[in-house]
Amino acid sequence: QQSKEVDVSQIEQVANKILSRLKNDEDEKLKRREIFIFLLANTDLPWKEEIIANENVSSFSNICGKLLTPAQFIGLVDKLVLWEYMYCCCATISRDVASILLENAFNFLDQKKQETEVEIAPWIVWTGLARASLPFQKLSTAILTKYLGRCLQKATPGKERMNNLLSVLSVANAFLSGSLEVDPYFAHLFEQGDEAIAFDGNPEIRSSLIVALKAMLFDMDFDQWIQLCEIPSADVMVYNGISKIWQEDDVPSNVQFMAAHLIYKVKSLLQGQASEPLTVDLLPVMDQFAKEYNKVLELDLESIELPQLLEVLEQQKDSLEQWKIEAYLGKLMTFMPGCLEVANCVSVMSVYAEHLHNNFEDIFVHIVQVENRQEMHDELFFTIAQHTAVESLSDIATKITNGEIRTLTVSADQFDSRFVEAMNRSGGEGGVGKMLREFFVLAILNGDRTIERLVEVAMQNAGQLDNVCQILKSVWAMGSKQISDLDIPNKYDTGCPKTLLGSLLAKCILEKVDKELENSIKLFNNLKDENNTLSQQVYSACLPQILKLFDDSQVGSICTLLEVILSCLCVTSVVDTFTQECTTYSINIGCYMLNHSYYKPSHDNMRLNLIKWISAVSKNDSSLIKARVLPDLMSYFSTANCKTLLDKVHGDMAGITTQESGSKVMPMIKETEMKSQITACLVFITKEEFVVLFNVLKEMYPCEEEGETDILKCVEMLSDSCHKLFVNHNLDEERQRRIVSGYASVYTGEVPGAETETLIKLYSILIKDIFVLKDILKTPPTDDSEMLTAPLWISCQAVVAELLQQQLPSLDTVKLLLIHLAITPKCSFKEAVIMVITNYLDKSQK
């Protein structure tokens, strides 16, 4: 069977019948593409493996008994208007097949008679053919020679000449760019992965195209160019899929815009060859017509005046497309600042506020400069600000803080009202962005006042602390504003300037009390890691205050301030910024306070933090401390010369306090000296150090069983030392209470999980302690809770509770507990212990 026997007319008839049933252009376009692919796959072409191995095509390729010849195929492409798909596929199929198709198309078009009425103008099909042939040098030379000859015919009518100009510009642009875009659909169909097909341009073709362009442009007069405005682009775009003249997303309204843009692109590609003979006189001519297309050009903004512009924006506000709104508002900005004096203009800007956020800074600067600023100007500022990005507002606020631009002043009442509203809404709907936007607006109005009010809110309302912290971190530039102040004495100089936020926090910490002080410290701790300057300023402010408090013996306030100081020193490298005088002064007053508090039990609570402070500022350099502290206190700072039990306790406590690994070497103490050394420890150690002392004793007195400690011996040694100390020495009541309280705390860690026998012995020791110490106080207590033995009774209750929790202690054991109580004086603590035992006995009998 021969291909020439195929009935082409029948195929055409069937295809037209299929297409006639379709109801819309999109469906028709898809169906034409399907028909094209089917016909292509059933044309006698040297496909090699392209069709057979291609799953997308192989199912319907070569299924016809009679295959089309390439010439028949091209004839059907023309009859069924399939040129768009014909040219698109040539960039994705093999060069051999594409060359055959293009050559047959060329022959067909060259021999085709000019019809009086045709659906597609010949110049459109020729343009597509010329573009598609560019990657095939030999073939394209023949095609473009014929193509350019057609375009340059002198007898061509005016409109057709303009079409030919567009065509040549399009082909020249494609040739000079050196690549053709690949149609995504055909790329996928024929498994072509490239987005564009590159080619090397034939110099002869390049010369021919430039000569043709010169002839066309030199022949064009002003009237012809103006007439292009009257030709709608739709006339070209209807078959743009074939000609590919317009490749941009936005389509111009008329052909003049198209031509100007194409000339602009060709001129850009020729710019590097401006000195060549062919282009030297062409480029100046192209300059007269070249203009890159932007759809904004359609609006003729260059000639529009402010009244006309406002009229368009007002009357068409519900129908304007987004791009037109942006274009008109861009033009409106060119009338600044004078247009702000026009009430109608300010009103229009308010209506379009959401579209003006990118121009907010310019508008703001001009509003500030308006001489007779009115309420409408302020409202315009607030309205646009609500649509402006937080980053932009932050930039403006920072520039105001740095003095680069002026601020917009409002009354104190207006500011405070807006601040309260913003604070009430913080943390609500709208998220963090909306919350921060409102506070940046406030910072633009008055940055100092914004920071002051935020600190005030956090100080007074703990529930707002997290929100305030987040806001302050965002408006940090305003808080970091340097404020003028007297020179800081060198001994208080921590190496940073005084800033607004740092000054406010320091003032609150030093002046506020109770909850407001607590909130102020929390705010500081939440912010200090953002920047070292806060810690530096707060530390500097604390130095003169803490010494004054110490001289007034305000222990509670000193302890609070010490916590703040240590918090300042937790920030990385803060100490390194101190002047030498500040470091020395800090060590001096720290050592002074430690020395004078050592013998005062009422000052015990500050001792450990004083040690931390001195260690941090001196960077644990004992040589800076040795000459400044009492000899007995040096063991807190130096690992050398550990001679006494007190040295060991101090050293171990310092290791815990400063979180240093390891402990001091155990001093060699004779058994006969141990009791006197324990007594010395009881006088000078703090309540917290009693546990450390007890742990040292446990190290020194292990049980005979390996790995065990003789706890009872250690407790008895402490107990005996307490008895002798109280009986033989006239201690003040404050020191007595510290010793009893510290001693009682030892039981806390030993009672849980102890064996029954151990618990009974600990109970016996406690009862003996209570009996011995019951009359030590010179002034009888007015309440049982004020008894010297109250801490011992509490430990006694813990021992009894642990004992009774164990499985079924014997009745004799329980009776023994009651018998021991007989020697103690009557008090509420004793009654509580008896009640616990009685309740246990009642339950046991049941």
Side-chain angles (χ1 to χ4, degrees):
Q1 297 177 355
Q2 300 298 320
S3 297
K4 62 182 179 181
E5 297 176 7
V6 174
D7 188 351
V8 176
S9 61
Q10 187 178 2
I11 295 175
E12 181 185 349
Q13 185 180 358
V14 171
N16 283 327
K17 189 174 182 180
I18 292 172
L19 294 171
S20 65
R21 296 172 184 167
L22 302 175
K23 297 181 179 180
N24 59 65
D25 293 341
E26 188 62 32
D27 289 342
E28 181 181 339
K29 184 175 181 179
L30 294 175
K31 187 57 67 177
R32 285 183 187 277
R33 189 170 64 185
E34 290 179 12
I35 292 171
F36 169 81
I37 295 168
F38 179 83
L39 295 175
L40 179 65
N42 288 279
T43 299
D44 188 10
L45 294 165
W47 286 111
K48 298 180 181 178
E49 299 297 322
E50 284 180 272
I51 295 294
I52 299 171
N54 191 326
E55 294 181 358
N56 299 321
V57 185
S58 60
S59 61
F60 54 83
S61 65
N62 292 329
I63 63 172
C64 298
K66 302 175 183 179
L67 297 179
L68 294 167
T69 65
Q72 289 174 323
F73 172 72
I74 294 299
L76 285 170
V77 166
D78 186 59
K79 290 288 186 182
L80 299 174
V81 195
L82 305 178
W83 289 109
E84 176 179 351
Y85 317 110
M86 159 68 189
Y87 295 145
C88 284
C89 81
C90 285
T92 58
I93 58 179
S94 69
R95 291 181 63 86
D96 291 343
V97 175
S99 295
I100 292 171
L101 293 177
L102 291 171
E103 186 175 357
N104 276 271
F106 173 47
N107 293 333
F108 174 84
L109 293 175
D110 189 32
Q111 296 169 12
K112 185 178 180 181
K113 294 181 180 180
Q114 182 69 38
E115 301 177 17
T116 54
E117 293 184 9
V118 291
E119 184 175 355
I120 305 176
W123 74 271
I124 292 175
V125 183
W126 274 97
T127 304
L129 177 63
R131 286 175 56 90
S133 70
L134 291 176
F136 308 88
Q137 280 196 16
K138 185 176 179 181
L139 181 60
S140 65
T141 301
I143 291 175
L144 264 73
T145 299
K146 186 68 175 181
Y147 158 75
L148 291 175
R150 291 175 57 90
C151 292
L152 295 173
Q153 290 177 2
K154 292 185 177 181
T156 305
K159 182 176 179 181
E160 193 171 336
R161 284 206 305 272
M162 293 302 102
N163 291 335
N164 288 338
L165 173 62
L166 291 177
S167 176
V168 173
L169 285 168
S170 174
V171 174
N173 180 53
F175 177 86
L176 293 171
S177 66
S179 65
L180 290 177
E181 290 187 4
V182 173
D183 183 274
Y185 176 82
F186 284 100
H188 171 72
L189 186 71
F190 292 105
E191 300 174 349
Q192 162 65 265
D194 297 328
E195 294 183 359
I197 178 170
F199 56 85
D200 294 325
N202 186 330
E204 293 181 13
I205 296 176
R206 179 178 180 277
S207 299
S208 299
L209 286 169
I210 294 175
V211 169
L213 277 178
K214 288 175 69 172
M216 290 179 163
L217 291 175
F218 286 13
D219 189 46
M220 182 181 296
D221 57 33
F222 180 76
D223 290 337
Q224 290 174 330
W225 180 253
I226 295 299
Q227 287 174 6
L228 293 181
C229 293
E230 301 173 2
I231 305 175
S233 61
D235 290 357
V236 176
M237 293 302 296
V238 66
Y239 287 114
N240 192 59
I242 300 173
S243 65
K244 304 292 184 187
I245 284 177
W246 191 253
Q247 300 287 290
E248 314 300 333
D249 293 332
D250 297 321
V251 180
S253 61
N254 61 65
V255 171
Q256 188 191 79
F257 282 132
M258 279 186 165
H261 181 75
L262 290 172
I263 293 172
Y264 165 81
K265 294 192 71 174
V266 173
K267 173 178 166 289
S268 299
L269 293 169
L270 290 174
Q271 204 69 51
Q273 298 88 38
S275 60
E276 289 187 13
L278 277 174
T279 57
V280 69
D281 56 345
L282 174 61
L283 291 177
V285 176
M286 296 183 83
D287 274 334
Q288 300 175 35
F289 303 105
K291 191 171 186 64
E292 184 177 16
Y293 178 73
N294 184 318
K295 57 186 176 182
V296 175
L297 296 172
E298 307 273 359
L299 303 179
D300 193 22
L301 295 179
E302 293 182 4
S303 62
I304 196 169
E305 296 296 331
L306 182 60
Q308 296 171 282
L309 180 59
L310 296 176
E311 183 178 349
V312 171
L313 288 169
E314 282 184 298
Q315 294 181 358
Q316 301 181 32
K317 64 181 180 181
D318 296 327
S319 59
L320 283 178
E321 298 172 68
Q322 177 68 26
W323 70 270
K324 289 185 178 180
I325 293 174
E326 293 176 1
Y328 284 130
L329 292 178
K331 178 64 177 181
L332 181 61
M333 291 300 297
T334 65
F335 294 104
M336 298 285 280
C339 65
L340 289 175
E341 304 289 348
V342 181
N344 187 35
C345 180
V346 175
S347 175
V348 168
M349 292 175 72
S350 297
V351 171
Y352 288 92
E354 63 182 297
H355 303 283
L356 289 168
H357 57 86
N358 289 330
N359 305 106
F360 179 66
E361 182 173 342
D362 289 338
I363 296 172
F364 169 76
V365 169
H366 290 310
I367 288 176
V368 171
Q369 294 172 351
V370 173
E371 292 185 6
N372 300 314
R373 203 178 89 227
Q374 302 174 31
E375 185 178 348
M376 66 177 182
H377 296 111
D378 292 350
E379 287 304 315
L380 176 62
F381 162 77
F382 290 120
T383 304
I384 301 176
Q386 294 307 311
H387 301 284
T388 302
V390 170
E391 293 77 10
S392 299
L393 296 174
S394 174
D395 289 343
I396 296 172
T398 302
K399 288 178 180 179
I400 292 173
T401 302
N402 296 337
E404 297 175 33
I405 56 177
R406 289 166 50 192
T407 188
L408 183 70
T409 55
V410 295
S411 67
D413 290 342
Q414 187 179 3
F415 176 89
D416 288 339
S417 175
R418 286 189 173 275
F419 181 89
V420 171
E421 290 175 4
M423 207 69 240
N424 290 338
R425 286 193 294 267
S426 64
E429 296 182 1
V432 175
K434 183 177 180 180
M435 176 182 74
L436 294 181
R437 182 181 289 110
E438 294 188 4
F439 284 97
F440 271 117
V441 170
L442 290 168
I444 289 172
L445 297 176
N446 191 332
D448 291 3
R449 184 61 177 153
T450 301
I451 301 299
E452 291 169 4
R453 289 299 308 273
L454 284 168
V455 172
E456 183 181 316
V457 167
M459 178 183 63
Q460 296 173 351
N461 187 350
Q464 288 282 18
L465 258 173
D466 289 340
N467 284 338
V468 170
C469 282
Q470 189 172 15
I471 296 166
L472 284 173
K473 289 176 182 180
S474 298
V475 298
W476 194 265
M478 286 88 259
S480 299
K481 176 184 175 182
Q482 295 186 21
I483 55 178
S484 58
D485 196 15
L486 297 175
D487 291 338
I488 300 174
N490 285 338
K491 62 181 180 181
Y492 303 142
D493 188 357
T494 54
C496 77
K498 193 171 183 180
T499 65
L500 176 61
L501 181 56
S503 177
L504 290 171
L505 288 173
K507 184 178 181 181
C508 289
I509 290 171
L510 296 180
E511 296 181 1
K512 301 301 178 181
V513 295
D514 302 331
K515 278 293 180 183
E516 288 190 350
L517 172 59
E518 181 182 337
N519 292 339
S520 299
I521 294 174
K522 285 181 180 178
L523 180 61
F524 165 68
N525 285 329
N526 286 338
L527 294 174
K528 64 183 174 65
D529 290 331
E530 288 294 305
N531 193 293
N532 286 5
T533 57
L534 290 186
S535 295
Q536 290 169 277
Q537 290 176 83
V538 170
Y539 183 93
S540 175
C542 288
L543 288 180
Q545 183 71 6
I546 197 167
L547 193 57
K548 182 178 182 298
L549 292 172
F550 186 80
D551 292 339
D552 295 340
S553 297
Q554 297 185 37
V555 177
S557 297
I558 295 171
C559 290
T560 300
L561 219 54
L562 281 171
E563 291 287 349
V564 173
I565 286 174
L566 292 175
S567 184
C568 294
L569 297 176
C570 284
V571 179
T572 307
S573 304
V574 162
V575 174
D576 295 336
T577 66
F578 294 0
T579 61
Q580 184 59 48
E581 291 86 348
C582 181
T583 300
T584 302
Y585 182 70
S586 297
I587 296 173
N588 285 342
I589 62 173
C591 293
Y592 168 81
M593 293 169 65
L594 182 61
N595 291 338
H596 286 77
S597 64
Y598 185 52
Y599 299 108
K600 298 179 181 179
S602 61
H603 288 36
D604 280 354
N605 289 341
M606 70 176 73
R607 186 188 302 179
L608 297 182
N609 280 342
L610 282 170
I611 293 168
K612 291 180 183 179
W613 180 21
I614 296 167
S615 298
V617 178
S618 66
K619 297 182 180 179
N620 296 312
D621 185 350
S622 59
S623 64
L624 298 176
I625 304 168
K626 188 173 182 180
R628 294 178 170 89
V629 297
L630 297 171
D632 287 349
L633 294 171
M634 194 58 205
S635 51
Y636 279 118
F637 307 100
S638 176
T639 58
N641 302 319
C642 181
K643 297 178 180 179
T644 67
L645 183 62
L646 185 60
D647 289 342
K648 171 66 175 171
V649 173
H650 284 174
D652 285 4
M653 191 67 209
I656 296 170
T657 301
T658 59
Q659 297 181 338
E660 291 184 354
S661 59
S663 61
K664 291 196 174 185
V665 179
M666 186 73 68
M668 299 299 296
I669 303 174
K670 296 179 181 179
E671 187 76 25
T672 53
E673 298 178 6
M674 181 56 69
K675 291 184 180 180
S676 62
Q677 292 218 20
I678 292 175
T679 302
C681 285
L682 296 180
V683 175
F684 297 113
I685 63 176
T686 63
K687 176 184 174 181
E688 291 79 6
E689 290 175 318
F690 267 86
V691 175
V692 178
L693 169 61
F694 188 67
N695 289 333
V696 171
L697 293 176
K698 288 194 293 184
E699 290 181 46
M700 300 178 74
Y701 295 101
C703 274
E704 294 180 1
E705 298 181 21
E706 185 177 354
E708 296 293 330
T709 301
D710 195 341
I711 294 173
L712 293 174
K713 181 175 181 178
C714 296
V715 173
E716 287 172 346
M717 291 178 71
L718 284 178
S719 176
D720 291 345
S721 296
C722 285
H723 297 170
K724 291 177 181 179
L725 182 62
F726 278 70
V727 172
N728 298 331
H729 295 82
N730 187 23
L731 302 176
D732 60 89
E733 182 178 333
E734 191 175 32
R735 194 176 301 276
Q736 289 174 339
R737 290 188 179 279
R738 182 186 71 180
I739 293 172
V740 172
S741 179
Y743 165 63
S745 68
V746 167
Y747 288 84
T748 303
E750 304 302 328
V751 169
E755 296 180 356
T756 302
E757 184 179 350
T758 301
L759 290 171
I760 292 173
K761 289 182 179 179
L762 290 175
Y763 177 79
S764 300
I765 295 172
L766 281 168
I767 294 298
K768 183 177 68 172
D769 293 336
I770 292 170
F771 177 76
V772 172
L773 302 179
K774 60 182 172 56
D775 296 323
I776 290 296
L777 286 181
K778 296 179 180 179
T779 305
T782 57
D783 184 79
D784 288 350
S785 62
E786 296 179 1
M787 295 192 310
L788 178 65
T789 56
L792 297 173
W793 275 112
I794 293 172
S795 295
C796 185
Q797 291 174 0
V799 171
V800 171
E802 180 69 22
L803 188 62
L804 297 180
Q805 283 179 6
Q806 296 185 358
Q807 295 182 354
L808 300 175
S810 64
L811 188 60
D812 290 340
T813 299
V814 177
K815 288 180 179 178
L816 184 62
L817 299 179
L818 292 171
I819 292 171
H820 277 72
L821 286 173
I823 64 172
T824 61
K826 183 179 179 181
C827 66
S828 58
F829 291 107
K830 177 178 179 178
E831 292 174 1
V833 173
I834 294 173
M835 183 176 294
V836 170
I837 297 173
T838 303
N839 289 340
Y840 174 79
L841 290 173
D842 291 342
K843 289 181 181 179
S844 299
Q845 291 175 356
K846 292 179 181 179

